[in-house]
Amino acid sequence: MVAFNYNQHFQSCIEGIKKEGRYRTFANMERIAGRFPKALYRAPGQEAKEITIWCSNDYLGMGQHPVVIRAAQEALERCGAGAGGTRNISGTTRYHVELEESLADLHGKDSGLVFSSGYVANEGALSTLGKLLPECVIFSDALNHASMIHGIREAGVEKHIFRHNDVEHLETLLKSVDIRRPKIIAFESVYSMEGDFGRIAEICDLAERYNALTYLDEVHGVGLYGPRGGGVAEAQGQMHRVDIIEGTFGKAYGSLGGFITGPRAIVDAVRSFSSVFIFTTSLPPSILAASLAAVEHLKVSDVEREKMRKNVSLFKDLLSRADLPFLKGESHIVPLIVGEPNCCREVSEILMRLHDIYVQPINYPTVPKGTERLRLTATAAHSSGDVRNMADVLVNLWETHHGLVRAVA
């Protein structure tokens, strides 16, 4: 009998995704403090070179903001590096308490709860709420993030998937369930691979009509939208109608971690029953202090948001004039459709090799096959020159290399 060859099996798995053109490589980056979106890129066996990042989630450049850096440094010097335990066992600090109070204020809710990441926040909150509600049914947008899908699956309850942003389909599904059963409608404010907004007001209307809780993922909205950075729901005057808001510090706030805000009893239930919250080592004081500084700064400063809006508007206008095939959603995210995985990867490599521009290709399973894309983000830290140069480079690449799609397909 021949023993099972584990290494050979896993290597064949890797070879399979390489043949499909969706093998992921990680770029070795070193961000340059005070100069974002500039960074140093280190290719294997080569000297580091300076590049411009065009796919970052640090939308407002807050990861480089002096207020944020100073807050992290002061907390590090005051408290040291680690938290020392889970939230339950010695890991809750004054920074947790102050940050959770700040988040509750941001969203006009009773309570806030900080998690180690946005992914963990979604997984922990949705799985816990689903398990605690008797005979719960969860309704989920078809394009919800993997973390939401994970949380809903872990809840182990009945679920229904409604077509993306299709409120008529959602209502049909809601009608099919006994109105007396507890329900959660889970959706996003900004869909990061499409660049469009969720239909917050209409979904809240349905939630009120069919007695459902609303769970809104605002990870790509907090900090960026609304007069105080509360998110798309705040910008649209709907924040008070949403029951639970989930967000992250890892994008517009330039730090690390995730959170939920909502009614006191709901947040306390998640705090008390979520295993991923209870058994995870707490975030360190320096990270929490940086997050708090960013949240508080963006409650009163619109400078960063206005700069990003101008850059995004200019970028979209330049791409539209060139008739490049990007998804024209309302948000700050610009998905440029390439439509073939190997070509998408090759365009990304050309951008890095010849133009010192870093954009990670987005392939299946993150997006459906045939819709492979470059997910472009013009941040507040890009100059207008950066924006114009990027548009010029893309137009030139599209004219000279677009035939690759047909050749490879």
Side-chain angles (χ1 to χ4, degrees):
M1 175 185 252
V2 179
F4 188 85
N5 190 320
Y6 293 96
N7 285 339
Q8 186 179 47
H9 171 76
F10 290 118
Q11 189 59 44
S12 69
C13 293
I14 296 300
E15 292 303 321
I17 60 173
K18 284 184 176 179
K19 288 178 182 177
E20 293 176 24
R22 58 187 185 94
Y23 179 72
R24 300 172 192 235
T25 58
F26 297 159
N28 182 348
M29 298 285 177
E30 181 181 348
R31 280 157 55 106
I32 305 170
R35 295 191 57 210
F36 179 75
K38 304 299 180 182
L40 295 178
Y41 167 66
R42 288 180 169 81
Q46 297 181 20
E47 293 291 321
K49 71 171 182 176
E50 186 173 298
I51 54 92
T52 303
I53 301 174
W54 264 91
C55 56
S56 176
N57 288 333
D58 190 357
Y59 300 126
L60 301 179
M62 292 303 294
Q64 308 282 305
H65 198 287
V67 169
V68 175
I69 293 174
R70 185 165 60 250
Q73 289 172 335
E74 290 174 355
L76 185 63
E77 291 171 358
R78 182 186 182 100
C79 301
T86 64
R87 288 290 300 272
N88 184 50
I89 304 176
S90 81
T92 293
T93 68
R94 55 166 278 210
Y95 299 102
H96 287 94
V97 175
E98 292 173 7
L99 181 54
E100 288 169 349
E101 290 173 349
S102 176
L103 294 168
D105 168 72
L106 176 68
H107 287 148
K109 305 298 183 188
D110 297 333
S111 296
L113 188 67
V114 170
F115 290 78
S116 56
S117 73
Y119 191 109
V120 173
N122 270 334
E123 179 193 349
L126 283 167
S127 62
T128 301
L129 294 171
K131 289 174 182 175
L132 291 179
L133 289 168
E135 297 187 82
C136 180
V137 185
I138 300 180
F139 300 83
S140 176
D141 188 286
L143 294 187
N144 276 345
H145 190 264
S147 58
M148 301 176 78
I149 295 169
H150 189 171
I152 293 166
R153 185 185 300 120
E154 285 294 309
V157 300
E158 181 181 337
K159 65 179 182 293
H160 296 278
I161 312 300
F162 60 93
R163 291 186 293 270
H164 176 53
N165 267 346
D166 189 336
V167 291
E168 290 78 15
H169 186 217
L170 172 58
E171 182 165 25
T172 298
L173 295 174
L174 286 165
K175 285 179 178 178
S176 71
V177 175
D178 189 331
I179 195 167
R180 293 170 295 183
R181 292 180 66 181
K183 306 170 192 68
I184 300 171
I185 305 173
F187 62 112
E188 301 184 30
S189 65
V190 180
Y191 289 87
S192 65
M193 292 300 154
E194 305 298 309
D196 59 348
F197 289 150
R199 298 173 70 173
I200 300 174
E202 293 156 287
I203 289 176
C204 286
D205 290 342
L206 291 178
E208 291 167 5
R209 192 175 308 154
Y210 294 95
N211 191 31
L213 285 174
T214 46
Y215 183 100
L216 177 62
D217 178 313
E218 280 267 26
V219 296
H220 293 277
V222 287
L224 294 172
Y225 299 94
R228 298 204 310 157
V232 179
E234 182 189 31
Q236 296 180 354
Q238 302 296 314
M239 196 164 62
H240 64 289
R241 302 180 68 196
V242 178
D243 295 301
I244 304 133
I245 296 176
E246 184 267 349
T248 185
F249 306 114
K251 295 180 172 57
Y253 291 126
S255 183
L256 172 69
F259 64 89
I260 61 168
T261 62
R264 192 173 309 281
I266 290 178
V267 173
D268 198 18
V270 173
R271 182 191 69 86
S272 301
F273 289 91
S274 170
S275 60
V276 296
F277 173 80
I278 294 169
F279 297 110
T280 298
T281 298
S282 174
L283 288 171
S286 57
I287 296 297
L288 296 164
S291 300
L292 177 60
V295 171
E296 288 296 307
H297 176 82
L298 291 174
K299 282 181 181 178
V300 295
S301 174
D302 199 45
V303 173
E304 295 81 7
R305 287 188 284 270
E306 180 59 28
K307 179 67 185 302
M308 187 199 71
R309 285 192 290 265
K310 288 181 178 178
N311 281 342
V312 171
S313 178
L314 173 61
F315 190 47
K316 287 183 175 182
D317 182 55
L318 293 171
L319 296 187
S320 292
R321 290 185 198 175
D323 200 28
L324 265 61
F326 71 96
L327 300 182
K328 297 175 175 61
E330 312 97 315
S331 81
H332 57 287
I333 297 168
V334 181
L336 180 65
I337 303 299
V338 178
E340 202 285 328
N342 292 293
C343 183
C344 196
R345 187 188 66 251
E346 185 161 351
V347 170
S348 174
E349 291 172 353
I350 291 170
L351 285 170
M352 180 70 91
R353 186 173 67 251
L354 300 183
H355 303 282
D356 298 335
I357 292 171
Y358 170 58
V359 182
Q360 185 71 11
I362 307 295
N363 293 336
Y364 177 84
T366 305
V367 296
K369 291 180 179 179
T371 70
E372 290 80 6
R373 65 199 64 182
L374 301 177
R375 178 186 174 275
L376 305 168
T377 52
T379 73
H382 286 92
S383 67
S384 59
D386 289 331
V387 175
R388 293 182 184 280
N389 177 66
M390 182 59 170
D392 288 343
V393 168
L394 288 172
V395 170
N396 179 262
L397 275 179
W398 206 257
E399 291 173 349
T400 57
H401 293 279
H402 188 51
L404 281 170
V405 176
R406 299 183 185 87
V408 177

